[in-house]
Amino acid sequence: MKLTYSLIFTILFFSIDAFGQSAKRYVLLEHFTNTRCGICASRNPAFFDLVQENEGSVHHIAVHPPYPYTQCAFYQHNTNDNLSRTEFYGVVGTPRVYVRGTRNSESGKLMSQERLNTFFDQTSPIAVVVNEETEGNTRNVTVDVQTYENLDANDLKLFVSVVEKEVAYDAPNGEKEHFNVFRKALPNYDGSDFNPAAIGESKTFNFN
């Protein structure tokens, strides 16, 4: 495998980010695929094109469950975290896409532009801002969670996932390019307990 570029992908409840004084609510796409799955190889390219075309409005994570083959190289890289997310949704086959926590059930495709459009132009009461710095082989990450409105919620969690933006790998199913590959959950799959700051303030989490 050629590891070309990595980034920190942050999810807070429904995946959001911030610009200026308003919080933009991104569309979170959790994509379950497997490098030995032939159907995945036939359906993933169109889905990846759709993600790229909507890069400014979606966040995408490619999770690799042990279905249909446990020998999938990306699954084997971190069996615990990949399996934990797979079991969270009860995924038993690939490929599948979950949009903001709900399985997309469109026939014949993993996701359509029409379906994505129904989630756009929404805002959020909180925003997540991620800053990264590299020191040698260590990447230091600061996650600021900013509050814009009161949150009527309890028992909140911050989930931070490390994904690799692009991996060149000649997979057994014929795929050669893999995007936003899930690598690790920080600090672990259980996430971090989160109590929102007061309106106009933020809380900071640090990882490396």
Side-chain angles (χ1 to χ4, degrees), residues 12-26:
L12 178 55
F13 327 132
F14 298 104
S15 180
I16 49 185
D17 211 331
F19 298 94
Q21 296 301 311
S22 62
K24 178 177 179 177
R25 186 178 184 187
Y26 282 72

Side-chain angles (χ1 to χ4, degrees), residues 1-200:
M1 297 181 196
K2 180 182 178 183
L3 308 185
T4 56
Y5 180 74
S6 61
L7 55 85
I8 293 295
F9 187 100
T10 302
I11 314 167
L12 178 55
F13 327 132
F14 298 104
S15 180
I16 49 185
D17 211 331
F19 298 94
Q21 296 301 311
S22 62
K24 178 177 179 177
R25 186 178 184 187
Y26 282 72
V27 182
L28 173 62
L29 301 175
E30 292 178 90
H31 172 209
F32 292 84
T33 184
N34 187 286
T35 58
R36 292 174 176 263
C37 164
I39 298 176
C40 299
S42 66
R43 300 178 72 184
N44 283 347
F47 174 70
F48 290 143
D49 287 344
L50 185 66
V51 170
Q52 180 63 36
E53 290 166 4
N54 294 273
E55 186 175 12
S57 298
V58 305
H59 285 323
H60 165 237
I61 296 182
V63 180
H64 291 78
Y67 313 118
Y69 301 102
T70 59
Q71 300 96 325
C72 172
F74 296 132
Y75 169 69
Q76 289 294 333
H77 175 77
N78 188 336
T79 59
N80 183 62
D81 285 349
N82 278 289
L83 186 60
S84 293
R85 199 62 182 164
T86 299
E87 291 180 341
F88 176 81
Y89 285 116
V91 172
V92 294
T94 54
R96 293 185 183 180
V97 171
Y98 285 75
V99 53
R100 287 189 181 159
T102 301
R103 183 181 176 185
N104 186 50
S105 58
E106 291 179 288
S107 176
K109 59 182 67 178
L110 295 179
M111 178 63 61
S112 69
Q113 186 65 60
E114 292 74 21
R115 172 74 166 150
L116 276 181
N117 289 343
T118 64
F119 296 97
F120 292 161
D121 300 322
Q122 298 181 16
T123 59
S124 171
I126 57 174
V128 175
V129 177
V130 179
N131 292 295
E132 304 174 49
E133 293 183 356
T134 300
E135 296 182 5
N137 292 326
T138 300
R139 179 161 296 182
N140 301 308
V141 181
T142 300
V143 179
D144 286 313
V145 185
Q146 304 171 353
T147 303
Y148 288 91
E149 303 172 22
N150 284 322
L151 279 174
D152 184 18
N154 297 311
D155 300 323
L156 302 179
K157 289 276 190 176
L158 173 74
F159 293 94
V160 179
S161 298
V162 180
V163 306
E164 192 157 10
K165 187 175 182 179
E166 184 175 355
V167 181
Y169 166 53
D170 192 359
N173 67 353
E175 290 187 271
K176 298 181 184 299
E177 294 181 297
H178 310 265
F179 301 96
N180 303 317
V181 177
F182 175 53
R183 289 300 198 178
K184 183 177 179 62
L186 298 176
N188 51 52
Y189 179 72
D190 293 328
S192 302
D193 291 334
F194 174 75
N195 295 309
I199 294 176

